[in-house]
Amino acid sequence: QVQLVESGGDSVQAGGSLRLSCATSLATYASYCMAWFRQSPGKEREGVAVGAFAGSNDYDDSVKGRFTISHDDDKKILYLQMMNLNANDTAMYYCASAPRLLCYQSDRWSARSYPYWGQGTQVTVSS
């Protein structure tokens, strides 16, 4: 059973930064495709960043240049560094994992493709 626990969400001013963390129970980290999604009230869950640790990371256009996905293999923690935040970034943020092959498929941006999810952490950006 894969367990994912997010933390680091907070309320910040526009232009500020946050780093989200996702502690995982993954036994073999490199075997998984890891991703960050977000969801605002009334909207569908959308992919923000996808990380294939044997390959390159990928980002939604709305966060390119501002968000960075990374990981600590020893601690088994996934991170999302967020900079220059704006009101449109306000959402519940989730980390998700799936078998590694998904990272090389177009479905990697679909929430339905991920079987494992954390409980989410709230990010609120005020202008």
Coordinates of all heavy atoms in Angstrom, one line a residue, residues 37-103:
F37 N -0.7 17.7 -8.5 CA -2.0 18.2 -9.1 C -2.5 19.2 -8.1 O -2.1 19.3 -7.0 CB -3.0 17.0 -9.2 CG -2.8 16.1 -10.4 CD1 -1.7 15.2 -10.3 CD2 -3.6 16.2 -11.5 CE1 -1.5 14.3 -11.4 CE2 -3.3 15.3 -12.6 CZ -2.3 14.4 -12.5
R38 N -3.5 20.0 -8.7 CA -4.2 21.0 -7.8 C -5.6 21.0 -8.2 O -6.0 20.7 -9.4 CB -3.5 22.3 -7.9 CG -3.6 23.0 -9.2 CD -2.8 24.3 -9.2 NE -2.8 25.0 -10.5 CZ -2.1 26.1 -10.8 NH1 -1.3 26.6 -9.9 NH2 -2.2 26.7 -12.0
Q39 N -6.4 21.4 -7.3 CA -7.9 21.5 -7.5 C -8.5 22.7 -6.8 O -8.3 22.8 -5.6 CB -8.6 20.2 -7.1 CG -10.0 20.2 -7.6 CD -10.6 18.8 -7.4 OE1 -10.1 18.0 -6.6 NE2 -11.7 18.5 -8.1
S40 N -9.2 23.6 -7.5 CA -9.9 24.7 -6.9 C -11.3 24.3 -6.9 O -11.8 23.5 -7.7 CB -9.7 26.0 -7.8 OG -8.3 26.3 -7.9
P41 N -12.1 25.0 -6.0 CA -13.5 24.7 -5.9 C -14.2 24.9 -7.3 O -14.1 25.9 -7.9 CB -14.0 25.7 -4.9 CG -12.8 26.0 -4.0 CD -11.7 25.9 -5.0
G42 N -15.0 23.9 -7.6 CA -15.8 23.9 -8.9 C -15.0 23.6 -10.1 O -15.5 23.6 -11.2
K43 N -13.7 23.3 -10.0 CA -12.9 23.0 -11.1 C -12.3 21.5 -11.0 O -12.3 20.9 -9.9 CB -11.7 23.9 -11.2 CG -12.0 25.4 -11.5 CD -10.8 26.2 -11.7 CE -11.2 27.6 -12.1 NZ -9.9 28.5 -12.3
E44 N -12.0 21.0 -12.2 CA -11.4 19.7 -12.2 C -9.9 19.7 -11.7 O -9.3 20.7 -11.7 CB -11.4 19.1 -13.6 CG -12.8 18.8 -14.2 CD -12.7 18.1 -15.5 OE1 -11.6 17.8 -16.0 OE2 -13.8 17.8 -16.0
R45 N -9.5 18.5 -11.2 CA -8.1 18.4 -10.7 C -7.2 18.5 -11.9 O -7.4 17.8 -12.9 CB -8.0 17.1 -10.0 CG -6.7 17.0 -9.1 CD -6.8 15.8 -8.2 NE -7.8 16.0 -7.2 CZ -7.9 15.1 -6.1 NH1 -7.1 14.1 -6.0 NH2 -8.9 15.3 -5.3
E46 N -6.2 19.4 -11.8 CA -5.3 19.6 -13.0 C -3.9 19.3 -12.6 O -3.4 19.6 -11.5 CB -5.4 21.0 -13.5 CG -5.0 22.1 -12.5 CD -5.1 23.5 -13.1 OE1 -5.4 23.6 -14.3 OE2 -4.7 24.4 -12.4
G47 N -3.2 18.7 -13.6 CA -1.8 18.4 -13.4 C -0.9 19.7 -13.4 O -1.1 20.5 -14.2
V48 N 0.0 19.8 -12.5 CA 0.9 20.9 -12.4 C 2.3 20.5 -12.8 O 3.0 21.2 -13.6 CB 0.9 21.4 -10.9 CG1 2.0 22.5 -10.7 CG2 -0.5 22.0 -10.6
A49 N 2.8 19.4 -12.3 CA 4.2 19.0 -12.6 C 4.3 17.5 -12.5 O 3.6 16.8 -11.6 CB 5.2 19.6 -11.6
V50 N 5.0 16.9 -13.4 CA 5.2 15.4 -13.5 C 6.7 15.2 -13.4 O 7.5 15.8 -14.2 CB 4.6 14.8 -14.7 CG1 4.9 13.3 -14.8 CG2 3.1 15.1 -14.7
G51 N 7.1 14.2 -12.6 CA 8.5 13.9 -12.5 C 8.8 12.4 -12.8 O 8.3 11.6 -12.1
A52 N 9.7 12.2 -13.8 CA 10.2 10.9 -14.1 C 11.6 10.9 -13.6 O 12.4 11.5 -14.3 CB 10.0 10.6 -15.5
F53 N 12.0 10.2 -12.6 CA 13.3 10.4 -12.0 C 14.4 9.8 -12.8 O 15.6 9.9 -12.5 CB 13.3 9.9 -10.6 CG 12.3 10.7 -9.8 CD1 11.2 10.1 -9.2 CD2 12.4 12.1 -9.7 CE1 10.3 10.8 -8.5 CE2 11.4 12.8 -9.0 CZ 10.4 12.2 -8.4
A54 N 14.1 9.0 -13.8 CA 15.1 8.6 -14.8 C 15.1 9.4 -16.0 O 15.8 9.1 -16.9 CB 14.8 7.1 -15.1
G55 N 14.3 10.4 -16.0 CA 14.2 11.3 -17.2 C 13.9 12.7 -16.8 O 14.3 13.1 -15.7
S56 N 13.3 13.5 -17.7 CA 13.1 14.9 -17.4 C 11.8 15.2 -16.8 O 10.9 14.4 -16.9 CB 13.2 15.7 -18.7 OG 12.2 15.3 -19.6
N57 N 11.7 16.3 -16.1 CA 10.5 16.7 -15.5 C 9.6 17.5 -16.5 O 10.2 18.1 -17.5 CB 10.7 17.6 -14.3 CG 11.5 16.8 -13.2 OD1 11.3 15.6 -13.0 ND2 12.3 17.5 -12.5
D58 N 8.3 17.6 -16.2 CA 7.5 18.3 -17.2 C 6.5 19.2 -16.4 O 6.1 18.8 -15.3 CB 6.7 17.3 -18.0 CG 6.2 17.9 -19.3 OD1 6.5 19.0 -19.6 OD2 5.5 17.1 -20.0
Y59 N 6.1 20.3 -16.9 CA 5.3 21.3 -16.2 C 4.1 21.8 -17.1 O 4.3 21.9 -18.3 CB 6.1 22.5 -15.8 CG 7.3 22.1 -14.9 CD1 8.5 21.8 -15.4 CD2 7.1 22.0 -13.5 CE1 9.6 21.4 -14.6 CE2 8.1 21.7 -12.6 CZ 9.4 21.4 -13.2 OH 10.4 21.0 -12.4
D60 N 3.0 22.1 -16.4 CA 2.0 22.7 -17.1 C 2.4 24.1 -17.5 O 3.2 24.8 -16.8 CB 0.7 22.8 -16.2 CG -0.5 23.4 -16.9 OD1 -1.1 22.8 -17.7 OD2 -0.7 24.6 -16.6
D61 N 1.9 24.7 -18.6 CA 2.4 26.0 -19.1 C 2.1 27.1 -18.0 O 2.9 28.1 -18.0 CB 1.6 26.3 -20.4 CG 2.2 25.6 -21.5 OD1 3.3 25.0 -21.4 OD2 1.5 25.5 -22.6
S62 N 1.1 26.9 -17.2 CA 0.7 28.0 -16.3 C 1.7 28.1 -15.1 O 1.7 29.1 -14.4 CB -0.6 27.7 -15.7 OG -0.6 26.5 -14.9
V63 N 2.6 27.1 -15.0 CA 3.6 27.2 -13.9 C 5.0 27.1 -14.3 O 6.0 27.2 -13.5 CB 3.3 26.1 -12.8 CG1 1.9 26.1 -12.3 CG2 3.7 24.7 -13.4
K64 N 5.3 27.0 -15.6 CA 6.6 26.9 -16.1 C 7.4 28.1 -15.7 O 7.0 29.2 -15.9 CB 6.6 26.7 -17.6 CG 6.4 25.3 -18.1 CD 6.5 25.1 -19.6 CE 6.2 23.7 -20.1 NZ 6.2 23.6 -21.5
G65 N 8.6 27.8 -15.3 CA 9.5 28.9 -14.9 C 9.3 29.4 -13.4 O 10.1 30.2 -12.9
R66 N 8.2 28.9 -12.8 CA 7.9 29.3 -11.4 C 7.9 28.2 -10.5 O 8.2 28.4 -9.3 CB 6.5 30.0 -11.4 CG 6.3 31.2 -12.3 CD 5.0 32.0 -12.0 NE 3.9 31.1 -12.3 CZ 2.9 30.8 -11.4 NH1 3.0 31.2 -10.1 NH2 1.9 30.1 -11.7
F67 N 7.5 27.0 -10.9 CA 7.4 25.8 -10.1 C 8.5 24.8 -10.5 O 8.9 24.7 -11.7 CB 6.1 25.1 -10.2 CG 4.9 25.8 -9.6 CD1 5.0 27.2 -9.2 CD2 3.7 25.2 -9.4 CE1 3.9 27.8 -8.7 CE2 2.6 25.8 -8.9 CZ 2.7 27.2 -8.5
T68 N 9.0 24.1 -9.5 CA 10.1 23.1 -9.7 C 9.7 21.9 -8.9 O 9.5 21.9 -7.7 CB 11.4 23.6 -9.3 OG1 11.7 24.8 -10.0 CG2 12.5 22.5 -9.7
I69 N 9.6 20.7 -9.6 CA 9.4 19.4 -8.9 C 10.8 18.8 -8.6 O 11.7 18.8 -9.5 CB 8.5 18.5 -9.7 CG1 8.2 17.3 -8.9 CG2 9.1 18.1 -11.0 CD1 7.1 16.4 -9.6
S70 N 11.0 18.3 -7.5 CA 12.3 17.6 -7.1 C 12.0 16.5 -6.1 O 10.9 16.4 -5.6 CB 13.3 18.6 -6.6 OG 12.8 19.2 -5.4
H71 N 13.0 15.8 -5.8 CA 12.8 14.7 -4.8 C 14.1 14.5 -4.0 O 15.2 14.8 -4.5 CB 12.4 13.4 -5.5 CG 13.4 13.0 -6.5 ND1 14.3 11.9 -6.2 CD2 13.7 13.4 -7.8 CE1 15.1 11.7 -7.3 NE2 14.7 12.6 -8.2
D72 N 14.0 13.9 -2.9 CA 15.1 13.4 -2.0 C 15.0 11.9 -1.9 O 14.1 11.4 -1.2 CB 15.0 14.1 -0.7 CG 16.2 13.8 0.2 OD1 16.6 12.6 0.2 OD2 16.7 14.6 0.9
D73 N 15.9 11.2 -2.6 CA 15.8 9.8 -2.7 C 16.0 9.1 -1.3 O 15.3 8.2 -0.9 CB 16.8 9.2 -3.6 CG 16.4 9.4 -5.1 OD1 15.2 9.6 -5.3 OD2 17.2 9.2 -6.0
D74 N 16.9 9.7 -0.5 CA 17.2 9.1 0.8 C 16.0 9.2 1.7 O 15.7 8.3 2.5 CB 18.4 9.8 1.4 CG 19.7 9.4 0.6 OD1 19.7 8.3 0.0 OD2 20.7 10.2 0.7
K75 N 15.4 10.4 1.7 CA 14.3 10.7 2.6 C 12.9 10.2 2.0 O 11.9 10.2 2.7 CB 14.2 12.2 3.0 CG 15.4 12.7 3.8 CD 15.2 14.2 4.1 CE 16.4 14.7 4.9 NZ 16.3 16.1 5.1
K76 N 12.9 9.9 0.7 CA 11.7 9.6 0.0 C 10.7 10.6 0.1 O 9.5 10.4 0.4 CB 11.2 8.2 0.5 CG 12.2 7.1 0.3 CD 11.6 5.7 0.7 CE 12.6 4.6 0.4 NZ 12.1 3.3 0.8
I77 N 11.1 11.8 -0.2 CA 10.2 13.0 -0.1 C 10.2 13.6 -1.5 O 11.2 13.9 -2.1 CB 10.6 14.0 0.9 CG1 10.5 13.4 2.3 CG2 9.7 15.3 0.8 CD1 11.0 14.3 3.4
L78 N 9.0 14.0 -2.0 CA 8.8 14.7 -3.2 C 8.5 16.2 -2.9 O 7.8 16.4 -1.9 CB 7.6 14.1 -4.0 CG 7.2 14.8 -5.3 CD1 8.2 14.4 -6.4 CD2 5.8 14.4 -5.7
Y79 N 9.1 17.1 -3.6 CA 8.9 18.5 -3.3 C 8.3 19.2 -4.5 O 8.4 18.8 -5.6 CB 10.2 19.2 -3.0 CG 11.0 18.6 -1.8 CD1 12.1 17.8 -1.9 CD2 10.5 19.0 -0.5 CE1 12.7 17.3 -0.8 CE2 11.2 18.5 0.6 CZ 12.3 17.7 0.4 OH 12.9 17.2 1.5
L80 N 7.6 20.3 -4.2 CA 7.2 21.3 -5.2 C 7.6 22.7 -4.7 O 6.9 23.2 -3.8 CB 5.7 21.2 -5.5 CG 5.2 22.1 -6.6 CD1 5.8 21.6 -8.0 CD2 3.7 22.1 -6.7
Q81 N 8.6 23.2 -5.3 CA 9.0 24.6 -5.0 C 8.2 25.5 -5.9 O 8.2 25.4 -7.1 CB 10.5 24.8 -5.2 CG 11.0 26.2 -5.0 CD 10.9 26.5 -3.5 OE1 11.4 25.8 -2.7 NE2 10.4 27.7 -3.2
M82 N 7.5 26.5 -5.2 CA 6.6 27.4 -6.0 C 7.1 28.8 -5.7 O 7.2 29.2 -4.5 CB 5.2 27.2 -5.5 CG 4.7 25.8 -5.6 SD 2.9 25.6 -5.2 CE 2.9 26.1 -3.5
M83 N 7.3 29.6 -6.8 CA 7.8 30.9 -6.7 C 6.8 31.9 -7.4 O 6.1 31.4 -8.3 CB 9.2 31.0 -7.2 CG 10.2 30.1 -6.5 SD 11.9 30.2 -7.2 CE 12.3 31.9 -6.9
N84 N 6.9 33.1 -7.1 CA 6.1 34.2 -7.8 C 4.7 33.7 -7.8 O 4.0 33.8 -8.9 CB 6.7 34.4 -9.1 CG 6.1 35.7 -9.7 OD1 5.6 36.6 -9.0 ND2 6.2 35.8 -11.1
L85 N 4.1 33.4 -6.7 CA 2.7 32.9 -6.6 C 1.7 34.0 -7.0 O 2.0 35.2 -6.7 CB 2.4 32.3 -5.3 CG 3.1 31.0 -5.0 CD1 3.2 30.7 -3.5 CD2 2.4 29.8 -5.7
N86 N 0.6 33.6 -7.6 CA -0.4 34.6 -7.8 C -1.8 33.9 -7.4 O -1.8 32.8 -7.1 CB -0.4 35.0 -9.3 CG -0.6 33.8 -10.3 OD1 -1.6 33.1 -10.2 ND2 0.4 33.6 -11.1
A87 N -2.8 34.7 -7.5 CA -4.1 34.3 -7.0 C -4.6 33.0 -7.7 O -5.4 32.2 -7.2 CB -5.1 35.4 -7.1
N88 N -4.2 32.9 -9.0 CA -4.7 31.7 -9.8 C -4.0 30.4 -9.3 O -4.5 29.3 -9.7 CB -4.3 31.9 -11.2 CG -5.1 33.0 -11.9 OD1 -6.3 33.2 -11.5 ND2 -4.5 33.7 -12.9
D89 N -3.0 30.5 -8.4 CA -2.4 29.3 -7.9 C -3.1 28.8 -6.6 O -2.8 27.8 -6.1 CB -0.9 29.6 -7.5 CG -0.1 30.0 -8.7 OD1 -0.2 29.3 -9.8 OD2 0.7 30.9 -8.6
T90 N -4.1 29.6 -6.1 CA -4.9 29.2 -5.0 C -5.6 27.9 -5.3 O -6.4 27.8 -6.2 CB -5.9 30.3 -4.6 OG1 -5.1 31.4 -4.1 CG2 -6.8 29.8 -3.4
A91 N -5.4 26.8 -4.4 CA -6.0 25.5 -4.7 C -5.5 24.6 -3.6 O -4.6 24.9 -2.8 CB -5.5 25.0 -6.0
M92 N -6.2 23.4 -3.6 CA -5.7 22.3 -2.8 C -4.7 21.5 -3.7 O -5.0 21.2 -4.8 CB -6.8 21.4 -2.4 CG -6.4 20.2 -1.5 SD -6.0 20.8 0.2 CE -7.7 20.9 0.8
Y93 N -3.5 21.3 -3.1 CA -2.4 20.6 -3.9 C -2.3 19.2 -3.4 O -2.2 18.9 -2.2 CB -1.1 21.4 -3.7 CG -1.1 22.6 -4.6 CD1 -1.8 23.8 -4.2 CD2 -0.3 22.7 -5.7 CE1 -1.8 24.9 -5.0 CE2 -0.3 23.8 -6.5 CZ -1.0 24.9 -6.2 OH -1.0 26.1 -7.0
Y94 N -2.2 18.3 -4.4 CA -2.1 16.9 -4.1 C -0.9 16.3 -4.8 O -0.5 16.7 -5.9 CB -3.3 16.1 -4.6 CG -4.6 16.5 -4.1 CD1 -5.4 17.6 -4.7 CD2 -5.2 15.9 -3.0 CE1 -6.6 17.9 -4.2 CE2 -6.4 16.3 -2.5 CZ -7.1 17.3 -3.1 OH -8.3 17.7 -2.6
C95 N -0.2 15.4 -4.1 CA 0.8 14.6 -4.8 C 0.2 13.2 -5.2 O -0.7 12.7 -4.5 CB 2.1 14.4 -4.0 SG 2.0 13.4 -2.5
A96 N 0.7 12.6 -6.2 CA 0.1 11.4 -6.7 C 1.3 10.5 -7.3 O 2.3 11.0 -7.7 CB -0.9 11.7 -7.8
S97 N 1.0 9.2 -7.3 CA 2.0 8.3 -7.9 C 1.4 7.2 -8.7 O 0.2 6.9 -8.5 CB 2.9 7.8 -6.8 OG 2.2 6.9 -6.0
A98 N 2.1 6.7 -9.6 CA 1.6 5.7 -10.5 C 2.9 4.9 -11.0 O 4.0 5.4 -10.8 CB 0.9 6.3 -11.7
P99 N 2.7 3.7 -11.6 CA 3.8 3.0 -12.1 C 4.6 3.9 -13.1 O 4.0 4.7 -13.8 CB 3.2 1.8 -12.8 CG 2.0 1.6 -12.0 CD 1.5 2.9 -11.6
R100 N 5.9 3.8 -13.1 CA 6.9 4.7 -13.8 C 6.5 4.9 -15.3 O 6.7 6.0 -15.8 CB 8.3 4.1 -13.7 CG 9.3 4.8 -14.4 CD 10.7 4.1 -14.2 NE 11.6 4.5 -15.2 CZ 12.9 4.0 -15.2 NH1 13.3 3.3 -14.2 NH2 13.7 4.4 -16.1
L101 N 6.0 3.9 -15.9 CA 5.7 4.0 -17.4 C 4.8 5.2 -17.7 O 4.9 5.8 -18.8 CB 5.1 2.7 -17.9 CG 4.9 2.6 -19.4 CD1 6.2 2.7 -20.1 CD2 4.2 1.3 -19.8
L102 N 3.9 5.5 -16.8 CA 3.0 6.6 -17.0 C 3.7 7.9 -17.4 O 3.2 8.7 -18.2 CB 2.1 6.8 -15.8 CG 1.0 7.9 -16.0 CD1 0.1 7.6 -17.1 CD2 0.3 8.1 -14.7
C103 N 4.9 8.1 -16.8 CA 5.6 9.4 -17.0 C 6.0 9.6 -18.5 O 6.2 10.7 -18.9 CB 6.9 9.4 -16.2 SG 6.6 10.2 -14.6

